[in-house]
Structure formats: C-alpha cells, structure tokens
Amino acid sequence: MRVKKYAGRPAVLFSILCACVFLAGCGEMEDGVQVTNLQVDKNGRVTSNIVEDFDKDFYAIDALQEMVQAEIDDYNRIHPEAVALADLKPYGEEEEKVLVSVQFATCEDYEAFNGAELFYGTVEQAQTAGFSLDVELVSASDGTKKIGEADILGMKDMHILIVRQSAQVSQVVVPEKVQYMTEGTVLAGAKAVTIPGPENPSDLNWKGELTYILMK
C-alpha cells in the first residue's frame, strides 16, 4: 500500500485559520460554496474552499490574507506558479464567516502544501502510484450493490479520486458523475460526495482513512 510521509507543512491553511478564527463547524450559504470542500477538475487542478466562522471584531481580513499569501509565496519560490490565492473575503449574510479559496496546479501540489493525500487519475494510474485498491465500494445509485478489488482493476480506464479523510474537508466535488464510493460517504449531487469527519477535533474513534470515489 502506498505510504507517503509529509514534512514541514501539515494542513497549512487550516493551521492559519485556527490562529485567526473561531472554528465552530462549516456553515451553509444560500448560494456559492456551502461547506469546506475540495473541487478537482478534469485536468487534475484543485481548488480548496474553506468556509469557517470569523469574528471580524477581533480579527482582520487583511492580516489573514497576508499570512495565507506569505505561505503561498514561500511554496511558489520552489514550485513557481503552483499555488494561487483565488479569493479571501467575509462571507454570509452578515459576513459572520470567511471564505478562503486557494487553487493548486496539481494534486501533488495540494499534497505537498497541505501534507494531506490526494490523488486523481485513472484506476491504472492509481495502482501504478502504489495505492491499494483492495477496498470495497458501494454503488452511488444502489447502496446494496458493492464492488471489490477485482472489479475496480477491471475498470482501469475509469477515473478515481482518493483523498485522506480530514477535519478540514467536508465535501469533494469531482469532474465526472460518481459511480462508486467508499461506504460511509454520502452522495451530495451527481458529482459531489460528503466524506466522514470527526465529531470534534479530539475524536479518538475517528480514523481519518482514505476515501475512494470512482467516476465516469
């Protein structure tokens, strides 16, 4: 099974927000980004959208932007134009939240910047990259139908997204229609999946395992 170690940059954006906002869960907006999520397009580019509570009486948007941009600039010195701050603004009807949107050129850049596993490619590419496909996935259209490793390997040209469950990501949006997914996830639209997270940051029963999303 693929094992990847990360050093020096664990959950950078989330760590910055922890220093600047009161984290009380992801809020829902009437339109736009509703929850903290990852959006992956067909070319493997990644947009990380973080929505969190923000006390504007105690914290300044400008200061938060400076900190996020400094981390991005530091990464881009070694990986030119790999990461870009797309948006950072007060959010919600009363601007009680903050939205931070960061774009990554590749899943590998997201991994390196945040210290979190993320893969998008074909099943064959996932196997070549060393990911274990000895997993059981459930049908997005029929929860009673399940497939295993042999079935997945037989779909070598289909695209698969693999992401480490984390306290920082509530939902993943993929570029194609979801066909199969890890049991315990919840379909949130034809191309979106809500993934498990801890009840709270100290939940010792939460394992933070890999989530698999097979699409077509």
Side-chain angles (χ1 to χ4, degrees), residues 45-139:
R45 292 186 293 259
V46 181
T47 300
S48 169
N49 297 301
I50 299 176
V51 179
E52 294 292 355
D53 292 342
F54 187 81
D55 192 327
K56 57 189 176 183
D57 293 330
F58 289 91
Y59 303 104
I61 286 289
D62 289 346
L64 176 59
Q65 182 165 340
E66 287 178 7
M67 284 189 285
V68 173
Q69 189 62 58
E71 289 289 344
I72 290 173
D73 291 343
D74 183 52
Y75 184 85
N76 284 342
R77 272 191 280 273
I78 301 173
H79 309 86
E81 300 182 2
V83 184
L85 180 60
D87 206 355
L88 194 157
K89 63 184 180 183
Y91 207 51
E93 291 183 2
E94 298 181 3
E95 297 188 344
E96 75 282 8
K97 298 182 181 293
V98 62
L99 168 67
V100 182
S101 294
V102 178
Q103 295 176 337
F104 300 87
T106 67
C107 290
E108 289 79 8
D109 289 310
Y110 176 87
E111 286 188 312
F113 189 88
N114 290 286
E117 286 174 277
L118 178 66
F119 172 87
Y120 170 76
T122 65
V123 168
E124 187 173 37
Q125 289 169 337
Q127 185 182 30
T128 300
F131 283 98
S132 171
L133 298 176
D134 185 13
V135 295
E136 189 174 73
L137 305 181
V138 298
S139 169

Coordinates of all heavy atoms in Angstrom, one line a residue, residues 45-139:
R45 N -6.5 19.9 -11.7 CA -6.3 21.1 -10.9 C -7.3 21.0 -9.7 O -8.4 20.6 -9.8 CB -6.6 22.3 -11.7 CG -5.5 22.6 -12.8 CD -5.8 23.9 -13.5 NE -7.0 23.8 -14.3 CZ -7.1 23.7 -15.6 NH1 -6.0 23.5 -16.3 NH2 -8.2 23.6 -16.2
V46 N -6.8 21.6 -8.6 CA -7.6 21.5 -7.4 C -7.9 22.9 -6.8 O -7.0 23.8 -6.8 CB -6.7 20.7 -6.3 CG1 -7.5 20.6 -5.0 CG2 -6.3 19.4 -6.8
T47 N -9.1 23.1 -6.4 CA -9.5 24.3 -5.7 C -9.9 23.9 -4.2 O -10.8 23.1 -4.1 CB -10.6 25.1 -6.3 OG1 -10.2 25.5 -7.7 CG2 -11.0 26.3 -5.6
S48 N -9.2 24.5 -3.3 CA -9.6 24.3 -1.9 C -10.4 25.4 -1.4 O -9.9 26.6 -1.4 CB -8.3 24.1 -1.0 OG -8.6 24.1 0.4
N49 N -11.6 25.2 -1.0 CA -12.5 26.2 -0.4 C -12.8 26.0 1.1 O -13.3 24.9 1.4 CB -13.9 26.2 -1.1 CG -13.8 26.5 -2.6 OD1 -13.3 27.6 -3.0 ND2 -14.2 25.6 -3.5
I50 N -12.3 26.9 1.9 CA -12.5 26.8 3.3 C -13.5 27.8 3.8 O -13.4 29.0 3.5 CB -11.2 27.0 4.1 CG1 -10.2 25.9 3.7 CG2 -11.4 26.9 5.6 CD1 -8.8 26.1 4.3
V51 N -14.6 27.4 4.4 CA -15.6 28.3 5.0 C -15.7 28.1 6.5 O -15.9 27.0 7.0 CB -17.0 28.0 4.4 CG1 -18.1 28.9 5.0 CG2 -17.0 28.1 2.9
E52 N -15.3 29.1 7.2 CA -15.3 29.0 8.7 C -15.9 30.3 9.4 O -15.9 31.3 8.7 CB -13.9 28.7 9.2 CG -13.3 27.4 8.8 CD -14.0 26.2 9.5 OE1 -14.8 26.4 10.3 OE2 -13.6 25.1 9.1
D53 N -16.2 30.1 10.6 CA -16.7 31.3 11.4 C -15.6 32.3 11.5 O -14.4 31.9 11.6 CB -17.2 30.8 12.8 CG -18.5 30.0 12.7 OD1 -19.1 30.0 11.7 OD2 -18.8 29.3 13.7
F54 N -15.9 33.5 11.5 CA -14.9 34.6 11.6 C -15.5 35.8 12.4 O -16.5 36.3 12.1 CB -14.6 35.1 10.2 CG -13.4 36.1 10.1 CD1 -12.1 35.6 10.2 CD2 -13.7 37.4 10.0 CE1 -11.1 36.5 10.1 CE2 -12.6 38.3 10.0 CZ -11.3 37.9 10.0
D55 N -14.7 36.1 13.5 CA -15.2 37.2 14.3 C -14.4 38.5 13.9 O -13.3 38.7 14.2 CB -14.8 36.9 15.8 CG -15.5 37.9 16.8 OD1 -15.7 39.1 16.4 OD2 -15.8 37.5 17.9
K56 N -15.1 39.3 13.0 CA -14.5 40.5 12.5 C -14.2 41.6 13.5 O -13.5 42.5 13.2 CB -15.4 41.0 11.3 CG -16.8 41.4 11.8 CD -17.6 41.7 10.6 CE -19.1 42.0 11.0 NZ -20.0 42.2 9.8
D57 N -14.8 41.4 14.7 CA -14.5 42.4 15.7 C -13.1 42.2 16.3 O -12.5 43.1 17.0 CB -15.5 42.4 16.8 CG -16.9 42.8 16.3 OD1 -16.9 43.7 15.4 OD2 -17.9 42.3 16.8
F58 N -12.6 41.0 16.2 CA -11.3 40.7 16.8 C -10.2 40.4 15.7 O -9.0 40.5 16.1 CB -11.4 39.4 17.7 CG -12.2 39.7 18.9 CD1 -13.6 39.6 19.0 CD2 -11.5 40.2 20.1 CE1 -14.3 39.8 20.1 CE2 -12.3 40.4 21.2 CZ -13.6 40.3 21.3
Y59 N -10.6 40.0 14.5 CA -9.6 39.6 13.5 C -9.8 40.4 12.2 O -10.9 40.7 11.9 CB -9.7 38.1 13.3 CG -9.5 37.3 14.5 CD1 -10.6 36.7 15.1 CD2 -8.2 37.1 15.1 CE1 -10.4 35.9 16.3 CE2 -8.0 36.4 16.2 CZ -9.1 35.8 16.8 OH -9.0 35.1 18.0
A60 N -8.7 40.7 11.5 CA -8.7 41.5 10.3 C -8.5 40.6 9.1 O -7.6 39.8 9.1 CB -7.7 42.6 10.4
I61 N -9.4 40.8 8.1 CA -9.3 40.1 6.9 C -7.9 40.3 6.2 O -7.3 39.4 5.7 CB -10.4 40.5 5.9 CG1 -11.7 39.8 6.3 CG2 -10.1 40.0 4.5 CD1 -11.8 38.3 6.2
D62 N -7.4 41.6 6.2 CA -6.2 41.9 5.6 C -5.0 41.1 6.2 O -4.1 40.6 5.5 CB -5.9 43.4 5.8 CG -6.8 44.2 4.9 OD1 -7.4 43.7 4.0 OD2 -6.8 45.5 5.1
A63 N -5.0 40.9 7.6 CA -4.0 40.2 8.2 C -4.0 38.7 7.9 O -3.0 38.1 7.6 CB -4.1 40.4 9.7
L64 N -5.2 38.2 7.8 CA -5.4 36.8 7.4 C -4.9 36.6 5.9 O -4.1 35.6 5.6 CB -6.8 36.4 7.5 CG -7.2 35.0 7.0 CD1 -6.4 33.9 7.8 CD2 -8.7 34.7 7.1
Q65 N -5.2 37.5 5.1 CA -4.8 37.4 3.7 C -3.2 37.5 3.6 O -2.6 36.7 2.8 CB -5.4 38.5 2.8 CG -5.0 38.5 1.4 CD -5.9 39.3 0.5 OE1 -7.0 39.7 0.9 NE2 -5.4 39.6 -0.7
E66 N -2.6 38.3 4.4 CA -1.2 38.4 4.3 C -0.5 37.1 4.8 O 0.5 36.7 4.2 CB -0.7 39.6 5.3 CG -1.0 41.0 4.7 CD -0.6 42.1 5.7 OE1 0.1 41.7 6.7 OE2 -0.9 43.2 5.4
M67 N -1.1 36.5 5.8 CA -0.5 35.2 6.3 C -0.6 34.1 5.2 O 0.3 33.3 5.0 CB -1.1 34.8 7.6 CG -0.6 35.6 8.8 SD -1.2 35.0 10.4 CE -2.9 35.5 10.3
V68 N -1.8 34.0 4.6 CA -2.1 33.0 3.6 C -1.1 33.2 2.4 O -0.5 32.3 1.9 CB -3.5 33.0 3.2 CG1 -3.7 32.0 2.0 CG2 -4.4 32.5 4.3
Q69 N -1.1 34.5 2.0 CA -0.2 34.8 0.8 C 1.2 34.5 1.1 O 2.0 34.1 0.2 CB -0.5 36.3 0.4 CG 0.2 36.6 -0.9 CD -0.4 35.9 -2.1 OE1 -1.6 35.9 -2.3 NE2 0.4 35.1 -2.8
A70 N 1.7 34.8 2.3 CA 3.1 34.5 2.6 C 3.4 33.0 2.5 O 4.5 32.6 2.0 CB 3.4 35.0 4.0
E71 N 2.5 32.2 2.9 CA 2.7 30.7 2.8 C 2.7 30.3 1.4 O 3.5 29.5 0.9 CB 1.6 30.0 3.6 CG 1.7 30.1 5.1 CD 2.8 29.3 5.6 OE1 3.4 28.4 4.9 OE2 3.2 29.5 6.8
I72 N 1.8 30.9 0.6 CA 1.8 30.6 -0.9 C 3.1 31.0 -1.6 O 3.7 30.3 -2.4 CB 0.6 31.2 -1.5 CG1 -0.7 30.5 -1.0 CG2 0.6 31.2 -3.1 CD1 -2.0 31.2 -1.5
D73 N 3.5 32.2 -1.3 CA 4.8 32.8 -1.9 C 5.9 31.9 -1.5 O 6.8 31.6 -2.3 CB 5.0 34.2 -1.4 CG 4.0 35.2 -2.0 OD1 3.3 34.8 -3.0 OD2 3.9 36.3 -1.4
D74 N 6.0 31.4 -0.3 CA 7.1 30.5 0.2 C 7.1 29.2 -0.6 O 8.2 28.8 -1.0 CB 6.9 30.2 1.7 CG 8.0 29.4 2.2 OD1 9.2 29.8 2.1 OD2 7.7 28.4 2.8
Y75 N 5.9 28.7 -0.9 CA 5.9 27.4 -1.6 C 6.2 27.7 -3.1 O 6.9 26.9 -3.7 CB 4.4 26.8 -1.6 CG 4.3 25.5 -2.3 CD1 4.6 24.3 -1.6 CD2 3.8 25.4 -3.6 CE1 4.5 23.1 -2.3 CE2 3.7 24.2 -4.2 CZ 4.0 23.1 -3.6 OH 3.9 21.9 -4.2
N76 N 5.7 28.8 -3.6 CA 6.0 29.1 -5.1 C 7.4 29.4 -5.4 O 7.8 29.4 -6.5 CB 5.1 30.2 -5.5 CG 3.6 29.7 -5.7 OD1 3.4 28.5 -5.9 ND2 2.7 30.7 -5.8
R77 N 8.2 29.8 -4.4 CA 9.6 30.0 -4.6 C 10.3 28.8 -5.1 O 11.3 28.8 -5.9 CB 10.3 30.6 -3.3 CG 10.2 32.1 -3.2 CD 11.1 32.6 -2.1 NE 10.5 32.4 -0.8 CZ 9.6 33.3 -0.2 NH1 9.4 34.4 -0.9 NH2 9.1 33.1 1.0
I78 N 9.8 27.6 -4.7 CA 10.4 26.3 -5.1 C 9.6 25.7 -6.3 O 10.1 25.1 -7.1 CB 10.5 25.4 -3.9 CG1 11.3 25.9 -2.8 CG2 11.0 24.0 -4.4 CD1 11.3 25.1 -1.6
H79 N 8.3 26.0 -6.3 CA 7.4 25.5 -7.3 C 6.6 26.6 -7.9 O 5.5 27.0 -7.6 CB 6.3 24.5 -6.7 CG 7.0 23.5 -5.8 ND1 7.3 23.7 -4.5 CD2 7.4 22.2 -6.1 CE1 7.8 22.6 -3.9 NE2 7.9 21.7 -4.9
P80 N 7.3 27.3 -8.9 CA 6.7 28.5 -9.5 C 5.3 28.4 -10.0 O 5.0 27.4 -10.7 CB 7.7 28.9 -10.6 CG 8.9 28.2 -10.2 CD 8.6 27.0 -9.5
E81 N 4.4 29.3 -9.6 CA 3.0 29.4 -10.1 C 2.2 28.1 -9.8 O 1.2 27.8 -10.5 CB 3.0 29.7 -11.6 CG 3.7 31.0 -11.9 CD 3.6 31.4 -13.4 OE1 3.0 30.6 -14.1 OE2 4.1 32.4 -13.8
A82 N 2.6 27.3 -8.8 CA 1.9 26.1 -8.5 C 0.6 26.4 -7.6 O -0.3 25.6 -7.7 CB 2.8 25.1 -7.7
V83 N 0.7 27.4 -6.8 CA -0.5 27.7 -5.9 C -0.8 29.2 -6.1 O 0.0 30.1 -6.2 CB -0.1 27.5 -4.4 CG1 -1.2 27.7 -3.5 CG2 0.5 26.0 -4.3
A84 N -2.1 29.5 -6.0 CA -2.6 30.9 -6.1 C -3.8 31.1 -5.2 O -4.7 30.2 -5.1 CB -3.0 31.2 -7.6
L85 N -3.8 32.2 -4.6 CA -5.0 32.6 -3.7 C -6.0 33.2 -4.7 O -5.9 34.2 -5.3 CB -4.5 33.7 -2.7 CG -5.6 34.2 -1.8 CD1 -6.2 33.1 -1.0 CD2 -5.1 35.3 -0.9
A86 N -7.1 32.5 -4.8 CA -8.2 32.9 -5.7 C -9.2 33.8 -5.1 O -9.7 34.7 -5.7 CB -9.0 31.6 -6.2
D87 N -9.4 33.7 -3.8 CA -10.4 34.5 -3.1 C -10.2 34.4 -1.6 O -9.8 33.4 -1.1 CB -11.8 34.1 -3.4 CG -12.8 35.3 -3.3 OD1 -12.4 36.4 -2.9 OD2 -14.0 35.1 -3.7
L88 N -10.4 35.5 -0.9 CA -10.4 35.5 0.6 C -11.3 36.7 1.0 O -10.9 37.9 0.7 CB -9.0 35.7 1.1 CG -8.8 35.4 2.6 CD1 -7.4 35.0 2.9 CD2 -9.2 36.5 3.5
K89 N -12.4 36.4 1.6 CA -13.3 37.5 1.9 C -14.3 37.1 3.0 O -14.5 35.9 3.3 CB -14.1 37.8 0.6 CG -15.0 36.7 0.1 CD -15.7 37.0 -1.2 CE -16.6 35.8 -1.7 NZ -17.2 36.1 -3.0
P90 N -14.9 38.2 3.6 CA -16.0 37.9 4.5 C -17.1 37.2 3.8 O -17.4 37.5 2.6 CB -16.4 39.3 5.0 CG -15.2 40.1 4.8 CD -14.6 39.6 3.5
Y91 N -17.9 36.3 4.4 CA -18.9 35.5 3.7 C -20.1 35.4 4.6 O -20.1 35.4 5.8 CB -18.2 34.1 3.5 CG -18.8 33.4 2.3 CD1 -18.9 34.0 1.0 CD2 -19.2 32.1 2.4 CE1 -19.4 33.3 -0.1 CE2 -19.6 31.3 1.3 CZ -19.7 31.9 0.1 OH -20.2 31.2 -1.0
G92 N -21.3 35.2 4.0 CA -22.5 35.0 4.7 C -23.3 36.3 4.7 O -22.8 37.4 4.4
E93 N -24.6 36.2 5.0 CA -25.5 37.3 5.0 C -25.0 38.5 5.9 O -25.1 39.6 5.5 CB -26.9 36.9 5.4 CG -27.6 36.0 4.4 CD -29.0 35.6 4.9 OE1 -29.4 36.1 5.9 OE2 -29.7 34.9 4.1
E94 N -24.4 38.1 7.0 CA -23.9 39.2 7.9 C -22.4 39.2 8.0 O -21.8 39.7 9.0 CB -24.5 38.9 9.3 CG -26.0 39.1 9.3 CD -26.6 38.9 10.7 OE1 -25.8 38.7 11.7 OE2 -27.9 38.9 10.9
E95 N -21.8 38.5 7.0 CA -20.3 38.4 6.9 C -19.7 37.9 8.2 O -18.7 38.3 8.7 CB -19.7 39.8 6.6 CG -20.1 40.4 5.3 CD -19.3 41.6 4.9 OE1 -18.7 42.2 5.8 OE2 -19.4 42.0 3.7
E96 N -20.4 36.9 8.8 CA -20.0 36.2 10.0 C -19.0 35.1 9.8 O -18.5 34.5 10.7 CB -21.2 35.7 10.8 CG -21.9 34.5 10.2 CD -22.8 34.7 9.0 OE1 -22.8 35.8 8.4 OE2 -23.4 33.7 8.5
K97 N -18.8 34.8 8.5 CA -17.8 33.8 8.1 C -16.8 34.3 7.2 O -16.9 35.4 6.7 CB -18.6 32.6 7.5 CG -19.6 32.0 8.4 CD -20.3 30.8 7.8 CE -21.4 30.2 8.8 NZ -20.7 29.6 9.9
V98 N -15.8 33.4 6.9 CA -14.8 33.8 6.0 C -14.6 32.7 5.0 O -14.7 31.5 5.3 CB -13.4 34.1 6.7 CG1 -12.9 32.8 7.4 CG2 -12.4 34.6 5.7
L99 N -14.4 33.1 3.7 CA -14.2 32.1 2.6 C -12.8 32.3 2.1 O -12.3 33.4 1.8 CB -15.1 32.4 1.4 CG -14.8 31.6 0.1 CD1 -15.0 30.1 0.3 CD2 -15.7 32.1 -1.0
V100 N -12.0 31.2 2.1 CA -10.6 31.2 1.6 C -10.6 30.2 0.5 O -10.8 29.0 0.7 CB -9.6 30.9 2.7 CG1 -8.2 30.9 2.1 CG2 -9.7 31.8 3.9
S101 N -10.3 30.6 -0.7 CA -10.2 29.8 -1.9 C -8.8 29.8 -2.4 O -8.3 30.9 -2.8 CB -11.2 30.2 -3.0 OG -12.6 30.0 -2.5
V102 N -8.2 28.6 -2.5 CA -6.8 28.5 -3.0 C -6.8 27.5 -4.1 O -7.4 26.4 -4.0 CB -5.9 28.1 -1.9 CG1 -4.4 28.0 -2.4 CG2 -5.9 29.1 -0.7
Q103 N -6.1 27.8 -5.2 CA -6.0 27.0 -6.4 C -4.6 26.3 -6.4 O -3.6 27.0 -6.2 CB -6.3 27.7 -7.6 CG -7.8 28.2 -7.7 CD -8.0 29.1 -8.9 OE1 -7.1 29.6 -9.5 NE2 -9.3 29.2 -9.3
F104 N -4.6 25.0 -6.8 CA -3.4 24.3 -6.9 C -3.3 23.7 -8.3 O -4.3 23.2 -8.8 CB -3.4 23.1 -5.9 CG -3.5 23.6 -4.4 CD1 -4.7 23.8 -3.8 CD2 -2.3 23.8 -3.7 CE1 -4.8 24.2 -2.5 CE2 -2.4 24.2 -2.4 CZ -3.6 24.5 -1.8
A105 N -2.1 23.8 -8.9 CA -1.9 23.3 -10.3 C -2.1 21.8 -10.4 O -2.6 21.4 -11.4 CB -0.5 23.7 -10.7
T106 N -1.8 21.1 -9.4 CA -1.9 19.6 -9.4 C -2.3 19.1 -8.0 O -2.1 19.8 -7.0 CB -0.6 18.9 -9.8 OG1 0.4 19.2 -8.8 CG2 -0.1 19.5 -11.2
C107 N -2.7 17.8 -8.0 CA -3.0 17.2 -6.7 C -1.7 17.0 -5.9 O -1.7 17.1 -4.7 CB -3.6 15.8 -7.0 SG -5.3 15.8 -7.6
E108 N -0.6 16.9 -6.6 CA 0.7 16.8 -6.0 C 1.1 18.0 -5.2 O 1.6 18.0 -4.1 CB 1.8 16.4 -7.0 CG 1.8 15.0 -7.5 CD 0.7 14.8 -8.6 OE1 0.1 15.8 -9.1 OE2 0.5 13.7 -9.0
D109 N 0.7 19.2 -5.8 CA 1.0 20.5 -5.1 C 0.1 20.6 -3.9 O 0.5 21.1 -2.9 CB 0.7 21.6 -6.1 CG 1.8 21.7 -7.2 OD1 3.0 21.7 -6.8 OD2 1.5 21.8 -8.4
Y110 N -1.2 20.2 -4.0 CA -2.1 20.2 -2.9 C -1.5 19.3 -1.7 O -1.5 19.7 -0.6 CB -3.5 19.7 -3.2 CG -4.4 19.6 -2.0 CD1 -5.1 20.7 -1.6 CD2 -4.5 18.4 -1.3 CE1 -5.9 20.7 -0.5 CE2 -5.3 18.4 -0.2 CZ -6.0 19.5 0.2 OH -6.8 19.4 1.3
E111 N -1.0 18.1 -2.1 CA -0.4 17.2 -1.1 C 0.8 17.9 -0.4 O 0.9 17.8 0.8 CB 0.0 15.9 -1.8 CG -1.1 15.0 -2.2 CD -0.5 13.7 -2.7 OE1 0.4 13.6 -3.5 OE2 -1.0 12.6 -2.2
A112 N 1.7 18.4 -1.2 CA 2.9 19.0 -0.7 C 2.6 20.2 0.2 O 3.3 20.4 1.2 CB 3.9 19.3 -1.8
F113 N 1.7 21.0 -0.2 CA 1.4 22.3 0.5 C 0.7 22.0 1.8 O 1.0 22.6 2.8 CB 0.5 23.2 -0.4 CG 0.4 24.5 0.2 CD1 1.3 25.6 -0.1 CD2 -0.7 24.9 1.0 CE1 1.1 26.8 0.4 CE2 -0.9 26.1 1.5 CZ 0.0 27.1 1.2
N114 N -0.2 21.0 1.8 CA -1.1 20.8 3.0 C -0.7 19.5 3.8 O -1.3 19.3 4.8 CB -2.5 20.6 2.5 CG -3.1 21.9 2.1 OD1 -3.4 22.8 2.9 ND2 -3.3 22.1 0.7
G115 N 0.2 18.7 3.2 CA 0.6 17.5 4.0 C -0.6 16.5 4.1 O -0.8 15.9 5.1
A116 N -1.4 16.4 3.0 CA -2.5 15.5 3.0 C -2.6 14.8 1.7 O -2.4 15.4 0.6 CB -3.8 16.4 3.2
E117 N -3.0 13.5 1.7 CA -3.1 12.7 0.5 C -4.2 13.1 -0.4 O -5.4 13.2 0.1 CB -3.1 11.2 0.8 CG -1.8 10.7 1.3 CD -2.0 9.2 1.8 OE1 -2.4 9.1 3.0 OE2 -1.7 8.3 1.1
L118 N -3.9 13.2 -1.7 CA -5.0 13.5 -2.7 C -4.5 13.0 -4.0 O -3.4 13.4 -4.5 CB -5.3 15.0 -2.8 CG -6.3 15.4 -3.8 CD1 -7.7 14.8 -3.4 CD2 -6.4 16.9 -3.9
F119 N -5.3 12.1 -4.7 CA -4.9 11.6 -6.0 C -6.1 11.7 -6.9 O -7.3 11.4 -6.5 CB -4.5 10.1 -5.8 CG -4.3 9.4 -7.2 CD1 -3.1 9.5 -7.8 CD2 -5.3 8.8 -7.8 CE1 -2.9 8.9 -9.1 CE2 -5.2 8.2 -9.0 CZ -3.9 8.2 -9.7
Y120 N -5.9 12.0 -8.2 CA -6.9 12.0 -9.2 C -6.2 11.5 -10.5 O -5.2 12.0 -10.9 CB -7.5 13.3 -9.5 CG -8.4 13.4 -10.7 CD1 -9.7 12.8 -10.6 CD2 -8.0 13.9 -11.9 CE1 -10.5 12.8 -11.8 CE2 -8.8 13.9 -13.0 CZ -10.0 13.3 -13.0 OH -10.8 13.3 -14.1
G121 N -6.8 10.4 -11.0 CA -6.3 9.9 -12.3 C -7.1 8.6 -12.6 O -8.2 8.4 -12.0
T122 N -6.6 7.8 -13.5 CA -7.3 6.5 -13.8 C -7.0 5.5 -12.8 O -6.0 5.6 -12.0 CB -6.8 6.0 -15.2 OG1 -5.4 5.7 -15.1 CG2 -7.0 7.0 -16.3
V123 N -7.8 4.5 -12.8 CA -7.5 3.3 -11.8 C -6.1 2.8 -12.1 O -5.4 2.5 -11.1 CB -8.6 2.3 -12.0 CG1 -8.2 1.0 -11.3 CG2 -10.0 2.8 -11.6
E124 N -5.8 2.6 -13.3 CA -4.4 2.1 -13.7 C -3.3 3.0 -13.1 O -2.3 2.5 -12.5 CB -4.3 2.0 -15.2 CG -3.0 1.3 -15.6 CD -3.0 1.0 -17.1 OE1 -3.5 1.9 -17.9 OE2 -2.5 -0.1 -17.5
Q125 N -3.5 4.3 -13.2 CA -2.5 5.2 -12.7 C -2.5 5.2 -11.1 O -1.4 5.3 -10.5 CB -2.8 6.6 -13.1 CG -2.6 6.9 -14.6 CD -3.2 8.2 -15.1 OE1 -4.1 8.8 -14.5 NE2 -2.6 8.7 -16.2
A126 N -3.6 5.0 -10.5 CA -3.6 4.8 -9.0 C -2.9 3.6 -8.6 O -2.1 3.6 -7.6 CB -5.1 4.8 -8.5
Q127 N -3.1 2.5 -9.3 CA -2.3 1.3 -9.0 C -0.8 1.5 -9.2 O 0.0 1.1 -8.3 CB -2.8 0.1 -9.9 CG -2.2 -1.2 -9.5 CD -2.7 -2.3 -10.4 OE1 -3.0 -2.1 -11.6 NE2 -2.8 -3.5 -9.9
T128 N -0.4 2.1 -10.3 CA 1.0 2.4 -10.5 C 1.6 3.3 -9.5 O 2.7 3.1 -9.1 CB 1.1 3.1 -11.9 OG1 0.6 2.2 -12.9 CG2 2.6 3.4 -12.2
A129 N 0.8 4.2 -8.9 CA 1.2 5.2 -7.9 C 1.4 4.5 -6.5 O 1.9 5.1 -5.6 CB 0.3 6.3 -7.8
G130 N 0.9 3.2 -6.5 CA 1.1 2.5 -5.2 C -0.1 2.4 -4.3 O 0.0 2.0 -3.2
F131 N -1.2 3.0 -4.7 CA -2.4 2.9 -3.8 C -3.0 1.5 -3.8 O -3.1 0.9 -4.9 CB -3.5 3.9 -4.3 CG -3.2 5.3 -4.0 CD1 -2.6 6.2 -4.9 CD2 -3.5 5.8 -2.7 CE1 -2.4 7.5 -4.6 CE2 -3.2 7.2 -2.4 CZ -2.7 8.0 -3.3
S132 N -3.4 1.1 -2.7 CA -4.1 -0.2 -2.6 C -5.5 -0.1 -3.1 O -6.2 0.9 -2.7 CB -4.1 -0.7 -1.1 OG -4.9 -1.8 -1.0
L133 N -5.9 -1.0 -3.9 CA -7.3 -1.0 -4.4 C -8.0 -2.1 -3.9 O -9.1 -2.5 -4.4 CB -7.3 -0.9 -6.0 CG -6.6 0.3 -6.6 CD1 -6.5 0.2 -8.1 CD2 -7.3 1.6 -6.2
D134 N -7.5 -2.7 -2.8 CA -8.2 -3.8 -2.2 C -9.2 -3.2 -1.2 O -9.0 -3.3 0.0 CB -7.1 -4.7 -1.4 CG -7.8 -5.9 -0.8 OD1 -8.9 -6.2 -1.1 OD2 -7.1 -6.6 0.0
V135 N -10.2 -2.6 -1.8 CA -11.2 -2.0 -1.0 C -12.6 -2.4 -1.5 O -12.7 -2.9 -2.6 CB -11.1 -0.4 -1.0 CG1 -9.8 0.0 -0.4 CG2 -11.2 0.1 -2.5
E136 N -13.6 -2.1 -0.7 CA -15.0 -2.4 -1.1 C -15.7 -1.0 -1.3 O -15.7 -0.2 -0.4 CB -15.7 -3.2 -0.1 CG -17.1 -3.7 -0.5 CD -17.7 -4.7 0.5 OE1 -18.2 -4.2 1.5 OE2 -17.8 -5.9 0.2
L137 N -16.3 -0.8 -2.5 CA -17.0 0.4 -2.8 C -18.5 0.1 -3.0 O -18.8 -1.0 -3.5 CB -16.4 1.1 -4.0 CG -14.9 1.4 -4.0 CD1 -14.5 2.1 -5.3 CD2 -14.6 2.3 -2.8
V138 N -19.3 1.1 -2.7 CA -20.8 0.9 -2.9 C -21.2 1.7 -4.1 O -20.7 2.8 -4.4 CB -21.6 1.3 -1.6 CG1 -21.2 0.4 -0.5 CG2 -21.4 2.7 -1.3
S139 N -22.3 1.3 -4.7 CA -22.8 2.0 -5.9 C -23.5 3.3 -5.4 O -24.2 3.3 -4.4 CB -23.9 1.1 -6.6 OG -24.6 1.9 -7.5

